[in-house]
PDB file of all heavy atoms in Angstrom:
ATOM      1  N   LEU A   1     120.196 184.687 -14.026  1.00 57.00           N
ATOM      2  CA  LEU A   1     119.998 184.019 -12.730  1.00 57.00           C
ATOM      3  C   LEU A   1     119.004 184.774 -11.836  1.00 57.00           C
ATOM      4  O   LEU A   1     118.130 184.173 -11.160  1.00 57.00           O
ATOM      5  CB  LEU A   1     121.350 183.867 -11.977  1.00 57.00           C
ATOM      6  CG  LEU A   1     122.353 182.876 -12.662  1.00 57.00           C
ATOM      7  CD1 LEU A   1     123.680 182.957 -11.917  1.00 57.00           C
ATOM      8  CD2 LEU A   1     121.802 181.475 -12.647  1.00 57.00           C
ATOM      9  N   HIS A   2     119.079 186.085 -11.902  1.00 55.00           N
ATOM     10  CA  HIS A   2     118.155 186.897 -11.110  1.00 55.00           C
ATOM     11  C   HIS A   2     116.701 186.663 -11.632  1.00 55.00           C
ATOM     12  O   HIS A   2     115.767 186.525 -10.835  1.00 55.00           O
ATOM     13  CB  HIS A   2     118.577 188.350 -11.163  1.00 55.00           C
ATOM     14  CG  HIS A   2     117.563 189.233 -10.518  1.00 55.00           C
ATOM     15  ND1 HIS A   2     117.434 189.323  -9.142  1.00 55.00           N
ATOM     16  CD2 HIS A   2     116.667 190.141 -11.008  1.00 55.00           C
ATOM     17  CE1 HIS A   2     116.500 190.220  -8.804  1.00 55.00           C
ATOM     18  NE2 HIS A   2     116.005 190.694  -9.919  1.00 55.00           N
ATOM     19  N   ARG A   3     116.584 186.718 -12.973  1.00 56.00           N
ATOM     20  CA  ARG A   3     115.246 186.524 -13.531  1.00 56.00           C
ATOM     21  C   ARG A   3     114.691 185.119 -13.249  1.00 56.00           C
ATOM     22  O   ARG A   3     113.542 184.962 -12.962  1.00 56.00           O
ATOM     23  CB  ARG A   3     115.314 186.757 -15.072  1.00 56.00           C
ATOM     24  CG  ARG A   3     113.972 186.543 -15.799  1.00 56.00           C
ATOM     25  CD  ARG A   3     112.888 187.461 -15.227  1.00 56.00           C
ATOM     26  NE  ARG A   3     113.247 188.838 -15.352  1.00 56.00           N
ATOM     27  CZ  ARG A   3     112.929 189.568 -16.400  1.00 56.00           C
ATOM     28  NH1 ARG A   3     112.286 189.057 -17.450  1.00 56.00           N
ATOM     29  NH2 ARG A   3     113.255 190.855 -16.453  1.00 56.00           N
ATOM     30  N   LEU A   4     115.590 184.107 -13.294  1.00 63.00           N
ATOM     31  CA  LEU A   4     115.166 182.753 -13.021  1.00 63.00           C
ATOM     32  C   LEU A   4     114.667 182.611 -11.599  1.00 63.00           C
ATOM     33  O   LEU A   4     113.665 181.966 -11.319  1.00 63.00           O
ATOM     34  CB  LEU A   4     116.356 181.777 -13.298  1.00 63.00           C
ATOM     35  CG  LEU A   4     115.992 180.254 -13.245  1.00 63.00           C
ATOM     36  CD1 LEU A   4     114.980 179.936 -14.307  1.00 63.00           C
ATOM     37  CD2 LEU A   4     117.263 179.452 -13.461  1.00 63.00           C
ATOM     38  N   ALA A   5     115.430 183.204 -10.696  1.00 59.00           N
ATOM     39  CA  ALA A   5     114.996 183.163  -9.308  1.00 59.00           C
ATOM     40  C   ALA A   5     113.706 183.920  -9.101  1.00 59.00           C
ATOM     41  O   ALA A   5     112.814 183.444  -8.339  1.00 59.00           O
ATOM     42  CB  ALA A   5     116.102 183.819  -8.407  1.00 59.00           C
ATOM     43  N   SER A   6     113.482 185.043  -9.803  1.00 58.00           N
ATOM     44  CA  SER A   6     112.247 185.776  -9.670  1.00 58.00           C
ATOM     45  C   SER A   6     111.079 184.974 -10.203  1.00 58.00           C
ATOM     46  O   SER A   6     110.002 184.924  -9.578  1.00 58.00           O
ATOM     47  CB  SER A   6     112.341 187.081 -10.440  1.00 58.00           C
ATOM     48  OG  SER A   6     113.358 187.912  -9.913  1.00 58.00           O
ATOM     49  N   ILE A   7     111.311 184.292 -11.335  1.00 63.00           N
ATOM     50  CA  ILE A   7     110.264 183.455 -11.914  1.00 63.00           C
ATOM     51  C   ILE A   7     109.892 182.312 -10.960  1.00 63.00           C
ATOM     52  O   ILE A   7     108.743 181.986 -10.748  1.00 63.00           O
ATOM     53  CB  ILE A   7     110.668 182.919 -13.326  1.00 63.00           C
ATOM     54  CG1 ILE A   7     110.736 184.095 -14.315  1.00 63.00           C
ATOM     55  CG2 ILE A   7     109.685 181.860 -13.818  1.00 63.00           C
ATOM     56  CD1 ILE A   7     111.244 183.696 -15.660  1.00 63.00           C
ATOM     57  N   ALA A   8     110.958 181.675 -10.428  1.00 63.00           N
ATOM     58  CA  ALA A   8     110.714 180.571  -9.519  1.00 63.00           C
ATOM     59  C   ALA A   8     109.948 181.042  -8.302  1.00 63.00           C
ATOM     60  O   ALA A   8     109.010 180.344  -7.793  1.00 63.00           O
ATOM     61  CB  ALA A   8     112.039 179.902  -9.098  1.00 63.00           C
ATOM     62  N   ALA A   9     110.330 182.180  -7.757  1.00 61.00           N
ATOM     63  CA  ALA A   9     109.604 182.722  -6.592  1.00 61.00           C
ATOM     64  C   ALA A   9     108.156 183.064  -6.926  1.00 61.00           C
ATOM     65  O   ALA A   9     107.232 182.768  -6.175  1.00 61.00           O
ATOM     66  CB  ALA A   9     110.314 183.966  -6.045  1.00 61.00           C
ATOM     67  N   ALA A  10     107.966 183.665  -8.134  1.00 59.00           N
ATOM     68  CA  ALA A  10     106.608 183.994  -8.522  1.00 59.00           C
ATOM     69  C   ALA A  10     105.762 182.778  -8.726  1.00 59.00           C
ATOM     70  O   ALA A  10     104.605 182.715  -8.312  1.00 59.00           O
ATOM     71  CB  ALA A  10     106.639 184.824  -9.817  1.00 59.00           C
ATOM     72  N   LEU A  11     106.370 181.707  -9.345  1.00 63.00           N
ATOM     73  CA  LEU A  11     105.633 180.443  -9.525  1.00 63.00           C
ATOM     74  C   LEU A  11     105.287 179.851  -8.181  1.00 63.00           C
ATOM     75  O   LEU A  11     104.216 179.316  -7.982  1.00 63.00           O
ATOM     76  CB  LEU A  11     106.450 179.502 -10.408  1.00 63.00           C
ATOM     77  CG  LEU A  11     106.553 179.852 -11.886  1.00 63.00           C
ATOM     78  CD1 LEU A  11     107.469 178.874 -12.562  1.00 63.00           C
ATOM     79  CD2 LEU A  11     105.198 179.863 -12.546  1.00 63.00           C
ATOM     80  N   GLY A  12     106.259 179.891  -7.258  1.00 62.00           N
ATOM     81  CA  GLY A  12     106.003 179.288  -5.953  1.00 62.00           C
ATOM     82  C   GLY A  12     104.882 180.046  -5.215  1.00 62.00           C
ATOM     83  O   GLY A  12     103.973 179.462  -4.653  1.00 62.00           O
ATOM     84  N   LEU A  13     104.950 181.383  -5.273  1.00 60.00           N
ATOM     85  CA  LEU A  13     103.946 182.182  -4.651  1.00 60.00           C
ATOM     86  C   LEU A  13     102.571 181.943  -5.310  1.00 60.00           C
ATOM     87  O   LEU A  13     101.544 181.800  -4.618  1.00 60.00           O
ATOM     88  CB  LEU A  13     104.300 183.662  -4.713  1.00 60.00           C
ATOM     89  CG  LEU A  13     103.260 184.672  -4.099  1.00 60.00           C
ATOM     90  CD1 LEU A  13     103.062 184.347  -2.637  1.00 60.00           C
ATOM     91  CD2 LEU A  13     103.738 186.095  -4.339  1.00 60.00           C
ATOM     92  N   GLY A  14     102.546 181.888  -6.643  1.00 60.00           N
ATOM     93  CA  GLY A  14     101.311 181.673  -7.342  1.00 60.00           C
ATOM     94  C   GLY A  14     100.703 180.318  -7.014  1.00 60.00           C
ATOM     95  O   GLY A  14      99.496 180.219  -6.786  1.00 60.00           O
ATOM     96  N   ALA A  15     101.562 179.272  -6.963  1.00 60.00           N
ATOM     97  CA  ALA A  15     101.039 177.952  -6.618  1.00 60.00           C
ATOM     98  C   ALA A  15     100.502 177.929  -5.221  1.00 60.00           C
ATOM     99  O   ALA A  15      99.460 177.328  -4.913  1.00 60.00           O
ATOM    100  CB  ALA A  15     102.158 176.913  -6.804  1.00 60.00           C
ATOM    101  N   GLY A  16     101.222 178.619  -4.294  1.00 59.00           N
ATOM    102  CA  GLY A  16     100.756 178.681  -2.936  1.00 59.00           C
ATOM    103  C   GLY A  16      99.392 179.361  -2.804  1.00 59.00           C
ATOM    104  O   GLY A  16      98.459 178.863  -2.129  1.00 59.00           O
ATOM    105  N   LEU A  17      99.287 180.523  -3.449  1.00 56.00           N
ATOM    106  CA  LEU A  17      97.996 181.228  -3.418  1.00 56.00           C
ATOM    107  C   LEU A  17      96.921 180.394  -4.123  1.00 56.00           C
ATOM    108  O   LEU A  17      95.736 180.393  -3.642  1.00 56.00           O
ATOM    109  CB  LEU A  17      98.170 182.568  -4.141  1.00 56.00           C
ATOM    110  CG  LEU A  17      99.055 183.618  -3.408  1.00 56.00           C
ATOM    111  CD1 LEU A  17      99.175 184.855  -4.302  1.00 56.00           C
ATOM    112  CD2 LEU A  17      98.473 183.930  -2.069  1.00 56.00           C
ATOM    113  N   TRP A  18      97.266 179.687  -5.189  1.00 57.00           N
ATOM    114  CA  TRP A  18      96.305 178.862  -5.934  1.00 57.00           C
ATOM    115  C   TRP A  18      95.728 177.803  -5.018  1.00 57.00           C
ATOM    116  O   TRP A  18      94.534 177.479  -5.080  1.00 57.00           O
ATOM    117  CB  TRP A  18      96.986 178.207  -7.122  1.00 57.00           C
ATOM    118  CG  TRP A  18      96.086 177.521  -8.061  1.00 57.00           C
ATOM    119  CD1 TRP A  18      95.694 176.232  -7.991  1.00 57.00           C
ATOM    120  CD2 TRP A  18      95.456 178.071  -9.188  1.00 57.00           C
ATOM    121  NE1 TRP A  18      94.843 175.929  -9.000  1.00 57.00           N
ATOM    122  CE2 TRP A  18      94.688 177.037  -9.761  1.00 57.00           C
ATOM    123  CE3 TRP A  18      95.482 179.333  -9.782  1.00 57.00           C
ATOM    124  CZ2 TRP A  18      93.956 177.242 -10.913  1.00 57.00           C
ATOM    125  CZ3 TRP A  18      94.714 179.507 -10.914  1.00 57.00           C
ATOM    126  CH2 TRP A  18      93.952 178.495 -11.479  1.00 57.00           C
ATOM    127  N   LEU A  19      96.561 177.248  -4.151  1.00 57.00           N
ATOM    128  CA  LEU A  19      96.095 176.191  -3.262  1.00 57.00           C
ATOM    129  C   LEU A  19      95.396 176.694  -2.023  1.00 57.00           C
ATOM    130  O   LEU A  19      94.493 176.074  -1.508  1.00 57.00           O
ATOM    131  CB  LEU A  19      97.279 175.284  -2.823  1.00 57.00           C
ATOM    132  CG  LEU A  19      97.946 174.500  -3.965  1.00 57.00           C
ATOM    133  CD1 LEU A  19      99.221 173.808  -3.426  1.00 57.00           C
ATOM    134  CD2 LEU A  19      96.975 173.441  -4.549  1.00 57.00           C
ATOM    135  N   VAL A  20      95.837 177.908  -1.541  1.00 56.00           N
ATOM    136  CA  VAL A  20      95.382 178.370  -0.228  1.00 56.00           C
ATOM    137  C   VAL A  20      94.161 179.217  -0.360  1.00 56.00           C
ATOM    138  O   VAL A  20      93.224 179.148   0.439  1.00 56.00           O
ATOM    139  CB  VAL A  20      96.484 179.161   0.463  1.00 56.00           C
ATOM    140  CG1 VAL A  20      96.018 179.878   1.700  1.00 56.00           C
ATOM    141  CG2 VAL A  20      97.629 178.210   0.820  1.00 56.00           C
ATOM    142  N   ILE A  21      94.077 180.144  -1.400  1.00 61.00           N
ATOM    143  CA  ILE A  21      93.036 181.147  -1.417  1.00 61.00           C
ATOM    144  C   ILE A  21      91.619 180.584  -1.375  1.00 61.00           C
ATOM    145  O   ILE A  21      90.795 181.030  -0.578  1.00 61.00           O
ATOM    146  CB  ILE A  21      93.209 182.087  -2.644  1.00 61.00           C
ATOM    147  CG1 ILE A  21      94.341 183.041  -2.358  1.00 61.00           C
ATOM    148  CG2 ILE A  21      91.933 182.853  -2.885  1.00 61.00           C
ATOM    149  CD1 ILE A  21      94.644 184.026  -3.466  1.00 61.00           C
ATOM    150  N   PRO A  22      91.269 179.561  -2.224  1.00 60.00           N
ATOM    151  CA  PRO A  22      89.869 179.106  -2.157  1.00 60.00           C
ATOM    152  C   PRO A  22      89.468 178.574  -0.825  1.00 60.00           C
ATOM    153  O   PRO A  22      88.393 178.890  -0.285  1.00 60.00           O
ATOM    154  CB  PRO A  22      89.825 177.979  -3.251  1.00 60.00           C
ATOM    155  CG  PRO A  22      91.007 178.297  -4.136  1.00 60.00           C
ATOM    156  CD  PRO A  22      92.036 178.889  -3.267  1.00 60.00           C
ATOM    157  N   GLY A  23      90.340 177.746  -0.203  1.00 57.00           N
ATOM    158  CA  GLY A  23      90.016 177.226   1.121  1.00 57.00           C
ATOM    159  C   GLY A  23      89.933 178.321   2.153  1.00 57.00           C
ATOM    160  O   GLY A  23      89.088 178.351   3.015  1.00 57.00           O
ATOM    161  N   LEU A  24      90.922 179.274   2.078  1.00 58.00           N
ATOM    162  CA  LEU A  24      90.911 180.365   3.032  1.00 58.00           C
ATOM    163  C   LEU A  24      89.683 181.237   2.854  1.00 58.00           C
ATOM    164  O   LEU A  24      89.061 181.664   3.845  1.00 58.00           O
ATOM    165  CB  LEU A  24      92.170 181.223   2.841  1.00 58.00           C
ATOM    166  CG  LEU A  24      92.355 182.445   3.754  1.00 58.00           C
ATOM    167  CD1 LEU A  24      92.386 181.997   5.207  1.00 58.00           C
ATOM    168  CD2 LEU A  24      93.574 183.211   3.360  1.00 58.00           C
ATOM    169  N   ALA A  25      89.294 181.495   1.604  1.00 60.00           N
ATOM    170  CA  ALA A  25      88.070 182.313   1.369  1.00 60.00           C
ATOM    171  C   ALA A  25      86.870 181.652   1.932  1.00 60.00           C
ATOM    172  O   ALA A  25      86.007 182.286   2.578  1.00 60.00           O
ATOM    173  CB  ALA A  25      87.918 182.552  -0.144  1.00 60.00           C
ATOM    174  N   ARG A  26      86.746 180.336   1.723  1.00 57.00           N
ATOM    175  CA  ARG A  26      85.570 179.613   2.257  1.00 57.00           C
ATOM    176  C   ARG A  26      85.584 179.694   3.810  1.00 57.00           C
ATOM    177  O   ARG A  26      84.576 179.863   4.445  1.00 57.00           O
ATOM    178  CB  ARG A  26      85.595 178.166   1.805  1.00 57.00           C
ATOM    179  CG  ARG A  26      85.132 177.995   0.402  1.00 57.00           C
ATOM    180  CD  ARG A  26      84.822 176.511   0.114  1.00 57.00           C
ATOM    181  NE  ARG A  26      86.033 175.706   0.232  1.00 57.00           N
ATOM    182  CZ  ARG A  26      86.829 175.419  -0.795  1.00 57.00           C
ATOM    183  NH1 ARG A  26      86.618 175.941  -1.995  1.00 57.00           N
ATOM    184  NH2 ARG A  26      87.932 174.685  -0.620  1.00 57.00           N
ATOM    185  N   HIS A  27      86.779 179.486   4.397  1.00 55.00           N
ATOM    186  CA  HIS A  27      86.875 179.526   5.851  1.00 55.00           C
ATOM    187  C   HIS A  27      86.526 180.900   6.427  1.00 55.00           C
ATOM    188  O   HIS A  27      85.709 181.013   7.381  1.00 55.00           O
ATOM    189  CB  HIS A  27      88.313 179.170   6.303  1.00 55.00           C
ATOM    190  CG  HIS A  27      88.549 179.310   7.767  1.00 55.00           C
ATOM    191  ND1 HIS A  27      88.058 178.399   8.688  1.00 55.00           N
ATOM    192  CD2 HIS A  27      89.223 180.242   8.486  1.00 55.00           C
ATOM    193  CE1 HIS A  27      88.433 178.770   9.913  1.00 55.00           C
ATOM    194  NE2 HIS A  27      89.134 179.891   9.825  1.00 55.00           N
ATOM    195  N   LEU A  28      87.037 182.009   5.812  1.00 59.00           N
ATOM    196  CA  LEU A  28      86.756 183.312   6.286  1.00 59.00           C
ATOM    197  C   LEU A  28      85.261 183.653   6.110  1.00 59.00           C
ATOM    198  O   LEU A  28      84.668 184.256   6.990  1.00 59.00           O
ATOM    199  CB  LEU A  28      87.592 184.322   5.550  1.00 59.00           C
ATOM    200  CG  LEU A  28      89.081 184.298   5.849  1.00 59.00           C
ATOM    201  CD1 LEU A  28      89.835 185.321   5.014  1.00 59.00           C
ATOM    202  CD2 LEU A  28      89.353 184.550   7.333  1.00 59.00           C
ATOM    203  N   ARG A  29      84.724 183.204   5.007  1.00 61.00           N
ATOM    204  CA  ARG A  29      83.276 183.469   4.753  1.00 61.00           C
ATOM    205  C   ARG A  29      82.446 182.747   5.771  1.00 61.00           C
ATOM    206  O   ARG A  29      81.432 183.290   6.289  1.00 61.00           O
ATOM    207  CB  ARG A  29      82.909 183.043   3.330  1.00 61.00           C
ATOM    208  CG  ARG A  29      81.431 183.326   2.973  1.00 61.00           C
ATOM    209  CD  ARG A  29      81.145 183.056   1.509  1.00 61.00           C
ATOM    210  NE  ARG A  29      81.504 181.665   1.138  1.00 61.00           N
ATOM    211  CZ  ARG A  29      81.438 181.216  -0.053  1.00 61.00           C
ATOM    212  NH1 ARG A  29      81.123 182.022  -1.077  1.00 61.00           N
ATOM    213  NH2 ARG A  29      81.742 179.987  -0.352  1.00 61.00           N
ATOM    214  N   THR A  30      82.798 181.493   6.090  1.00 57.00           N
ATOM    215  CA  THR A  30      82.011 180.783   7.062  1.00 57.00           C
ATOM    216  C   THR A  30      82.110 181.384   8.459  1.00 57.00           C
ATOM    217  O   THR A  30      81.116 181.484   9.186  1.00 57.00           O
ATOM    218  CB  THR A  30      82.533 179.292   7.158  1.00 57.00           C
ATOM    219  OG1 THR A  30      82.395 178.697   5.847  1.00 57.00           O
ATOM    220  CG2 THR A  30      81.770 178.475   8.157  1.00 57.00           C
ATOM    221  N   GLN A  31      83.365 181.822   8.864  1.00 60.00           N
ATOM    222  CA  GLN A  31      83.523 182.471  10.158  1.00 60.00           C
ATOM    223  C   GLN A  31      82.773 183.785  10.205  1.00 60.00           C
ATOM    224  O   GLN A  31      82.162 184.094  11.230  1.00 60.00           O
ATOM    225  CB  GLN A  31      85.046 182.690  10.415  1.00 60.00           C
ATOM    226  CG  GLN A  31      85.888 181.414  10.570  1.00 60.00           C
ATOM    227  CD  GLN A  31      85.409 180.651  11.737  1.00 60.00           C
ATOM    228  OE1 GLN A  31      85.099 181.155  12.808  1.00 60.00           O
ATOM    229  NE2 GLN A  31      85.303 179.296  11.571  1.00 60.00           N
ATOM    230  N   TRP A  32      82.823 184.507   9.155  1.00 59.00           N
ATOM    231  CA  TRP A  32      82.118 185.834   9.111  1.00 59.00           C
ATOM    232  C   TRP A  32      80.584 185.585   9.240  1.00 59.00           C
ATOM    233  O   TRP A  32      79.917 186.309  10.037  1.00 59.00           O
ATOM    234  CB  TRP A  32      82.438 186.516   7.818  1.00 59.00           C
ATOM    235  CG  TRP A  32      81.632 187.768   7.574  1.00 59.00           C
ATOM    236  CD1 TRP A  32      81.718 188.968   8.217  1.00 59.00           C
ATOM    237  CD2 TRP A  32      80.542 187.895   6.626  1.00 59.00           C
ATOM    238  NE1 TRP A  32      80.837 189.854   7.712  1.00 59.00           N
ATOM    239  CE2 TRP A  32      80.037 189.233   6.774  1.00 59.00           C
ATOM    240  CE3 TRP A  32      79.963 187.056   5.716  1.00 59.00           C
ATOM    241  CZ2 TRP A  32      79.019 189.676   5.997  1.00 59.00           C
ATOM    242  CZ3 TRP A  32      78.920 187.550   4.933  1.00 59.00           C
ATOM    243  CH2 TRP A  32      78.458 188.822   5.097  1.00 59.00           C
TER     244      TRP A  32
END
């Protein structure tokens, strides 16, 4: 159960970063 929760959290974090990082990088680069 601990491993399953860790995997789910890692997948959620990875999916969030996958969706956020490109747009955030473009935004920060534009602001800079």
Side-chain angles (χ1 to χ4, degrees):
L1 291 175
H2 176 73
R3 178 58 60 89
L4 188 61
S6 300
I7 292 175
L11 289 176
L13 178 61
L17 292 176
W18 188 271
L19 294 173
V20 170
I21 283 180
L24 180 61
R26 283 194 297 269
H27 174 75
L28 292 176
R29 183 172 57 185
T30 301
Q31 294 298 319
W32 172 72

